[in-house]
Each structure stands twice: as C-alpha cells, then as structure tokens.
Amino acid sequence: MAADVDAIVIGAGSVGNPTAYFLAREGRRVLVLDELSASGQGQNKAAIGGVRATHSDPAKIRLGQESLEIFSHWKEETGTDIGWKPGGYCFPAYDETTESTLRTLLGVQHAYHLGIEWRDPAEIRRVVPGINPEGLRGGTYSPGDGQVNPLKAAESFTHEAVRRGAEYHYREKVTDLLVDDHTVRGVRTDRGEYRAPVVINTAGARGSQIARMAGLELPVAPESHEAGISAPVKEFLAPLVVDLRPGPEGKTANFYFGQDADQQVIFCYTPRPAVPGENRTSTFEFMPIAAARLVSLIPRLKNLTIRRVWRGLYPMTPDGSPIVGWAPDVKGLLLGIGLCGQGFMLGPGVGRTLAALASGTRPILDPDVLATLSPSRDFYRGTKESLR
Ligand SMILES: Cc1cc2nc3c(=O)[nH]c(=O)nc-3n(C[C@H](O)[C@H](O)[C@H](O)COP(=O)(O)OP(=O)(O)OC[C@H]3O[C@@H](n4cnc5c(N)ncnc54)[C@H](O)[C@@H]3O)c2cc1C
C-alpha cells in the first residue's frame, strides 16, 4: 500500500515539534499525531525553560549547543518571539563538595570549549544580585546559556512546520504500530491508520509504551517533579541559578530558579528520594520547601507573590542520557525519547538529528557520539551525569 506521508511523528512535544519542523524544512511530508488537544501540552509545558550547553557529556554538549543556536536565532529566523532570554546559568558553591564538583566539571567543559568559568564570591554577587553572601565560596557562570518560554516555542515550531506543509492531528491517540517483516509500515490510532516508511517515536513519558508496540523494551520511566512561578517583579536577575546542595529539610536535592523574559520568578527542585510514576497532582509540601530554599538564597524575595504551581514528569533513563537513533531489529522506527530533565533544552538538537537520520543526511553528531545515545547501549554502565 502506498505511503500517506514520508514520516509520522508520534507526539507534538519538546522533541516532536522541532523534528517535524526540520523534516518539513527539508521538504518531507510529515504527519504529527498527539492525543492531547494542542501542541506542547505534554511535559513540554511543565518545563521551566532553562537552556544550556554546559553539560559534562559530549552528546548533550553538542545537542545543547545546537539547541542554543536554534533558540537564540529563532526570532531573526522566523520573526516570532519565543521568550529567548540570554543571561546564562550560575552554579553558586557554599560548600567544599559543591566547589570541588563544579571545578572538576570545568575541566571537561573547557575541553569542549564551553564558555563557563569559575567566579569569585564578589563576581557571583554581581551576577546574582541579592544572593546570600554567608559562606559563598564562588561558583561557575556560563553567560552563553539562557532561557526560552516552552509554550511559545512549541507554538512557533508547530506554526513553522505547518507553514512548510506538516500536518498535525490533535486528540488522536496512537494505539499500535503497524509492523511486519521487522519493518514498521505506519501507525494505528483511535481514528484510523496511516502509512509511512519512517515512524518517529517522540512520545515522551509514554516513549517506552510506544516502543513496546513494536516489541522493544526500552528503559524510559517517568518521575514526578514540581515547579512554580511568581507574579512579575522588577527585572533583577539574568541567569538561571542552580543550587546543587541537598536541602536542609532532607527532602530535596538541587534547587533551581530564574527570572523569565516576562520578569516572573520560576523555580523547581529535585525531590529526594526521586518520585517514580505519573502523579501530576501538586503536593502540599512543595511550596513551603521551595519558598524556604529560595529565600535562603535570595533573602529579599521573602515577599514574592506566587501565582501558580504545577507538577510534571521527567522521562528518565537509567544513565540520565536520551535515547536517540534507529530502533534495533525494527526497520524504519526512529527513537527520540528518554530526555530526562533536559528535553526542552535538547529538543531542537535532537529534532534536527532525527530529521537528518530520517532523510539520510548527515546528523550533527559524529557517529561515535551518536552511538552513546543508542537504544542498544548498556544503560547501567557508568554513573548518571551529576548536573541534571
Ligand atoms: C517541573 C519540570 C521542570 C522542567 N524544567 C526543564 C527545563 O528547564 N529545561 C529542560 O530542558 N527540561 C525541563 N524539564 C523536562 C522537560 O519538560 C522534558 O524533558 C521534555 O518536555 C520531554 O520532551 P518530550 O518531547 O520527550 O515529551 P513531551 O513534551 O511530553 O511530548 C510527548 C508528547 O507525546 C504525546 N503522546 C504520548 N503518547 C501518545 C500516544 N499514544 N498517541 C499520541 N500522542 C502521544 C503526549 O501527549 C505529548 O504531547 C522539566 C520538567 C518538569 C516536570
């Protein structure tokens, strides 16, 4: 039977939208399917919008650089404001362990020529006005990183993809993959069937369920994370600030916050222990803990008005790296899943990579680097990256 399109993308999220955009830009006929009612309504809209290339793993560094390049030039390219705010990332250090972790990472980051340096306490106080000076030992600052509004980005990638011919179907759930002779032929949904020589799984927290439809077992498991946002306040803070210390309450690992392009303070913490599962109901403890951590770092934020909190999912892999590449044993099935807590910032880089693989053009990642994201890798070798 003839193909309906060149590629089907499952999921209009942080990864699926850029994938559709790059495919459409290359002149491919693309169909994007999402069970939700609009673009970016899965975990994409839960992200606080931090975008950085300053990772410690070559694949993430390269994907982050590519994403930064795309996000930071998006307005020139398309005329659309997606809330890009340069201003970098700052990791302050208040104890020896954090200082030593950050200094060790600098070695790796400099080997990849990333613009990140150690700054003394006075410089950190200039970069983060009002930061608690007590015990501050300095920190790292990477001015080239930034922030983007995830909903505006989803909307704009979708608009640009559609303008180039991509078709989006919302409220349409993929219920099965059509596979025969170890080859994917298309998808079945709750409304019908579509045929394509390439099917791209960018289904986020449901990525492993979609893979299972083709008989593949991939370790992507959702984890719950909460976030909040304030009413706007006078602009005072350029970077996203990440406090790597565990919280004194014993329930949190790192805490991070920034002021977005609309001057709202946006914040998040990593719960400890991790909370596996798909629970998206906000907890009573989130706001008191987040407020205490925020005020301990910037005491003058004690009168901040909080406007909204929410809870979303990180699609986690055991080694903390995404799964990007062709599925083993099922021809035509591409995977862009398991983006953990970095799917928004890596999304455009992963999307460009998937589009290149689908079109048979040269991906932005060198083959040996791309191999580190392979679905066939050993997920339990080595350690998780320390800067999630
Ligand atoms: C509180 C919080 C803060 C975060 N902050 C950041 C941050 O600052 N920076 C960052 O980079 N990341 C951040 N993240 C992580 C980021 O949100 C995710 O990594 C990212 O959104 C995952 O992208 P995705 O495209 O894989 O999934 P999604 O964006 O969820 O897209 C997957 C889509 O697939 C659709 N789908 C699933 N199954 C089916 C099906 N059967 N049929 C049809 N459609 C289907 C879903 O409806 C969804 O729209 C944060 C996450 C949380 C929870």
Side-chain angles (χ1 to χ4, degrees), residues 176-187 195 211 213-215 329-331 333:
D176 211 351
L177 296 180
L178 307 175
V179 182
D180 71 62
D181 196 19
H182 298 283
T183 306
V184 73
R185 310 288 180 188
V187 304
R195 305 236 151 208
M213 294 171 184
D329 306 325
V330 187
K331 210 169 150 226
L333 180 60

Side-chain angles (χ1 to χ4, degrees), residues 10-16 33-36 40-44 46-51 89 172-175 202-206 210 213 225-227 256 268 310-315 336-346:
I10 306 171
S14 305
V15 179
L33 298 164
D34 202 296
E35 61 180 322
L36 299 176
Q41 296 297 310
Q43 303 322 308
N44 177 83
I48 70 165
V51 180
Y89 262 68
E172 183 157 359
K173 181 175 179 156
V174 172
T175 55
T202 56
R206 295 276 158 79
I210 299 288
M213 294 171 184
H225 286 253
E226 293 182 78
Y256 49 110
C268 239
W310 65 91
R311 197 174 189 191
L313 309 173
Y314 282 14
I337 55 174
L339 274 289
C340 306
Q342 298 157 345
F344 180 68
M345 66 178 82
L346 302 180

Side-chain angles (χ1 to χ4, degrees), residues 317-330:
T317 57
D319 59 6
S321 281
I323 300 174
V324 182
W326 292 107
D329 306 325
V330 187

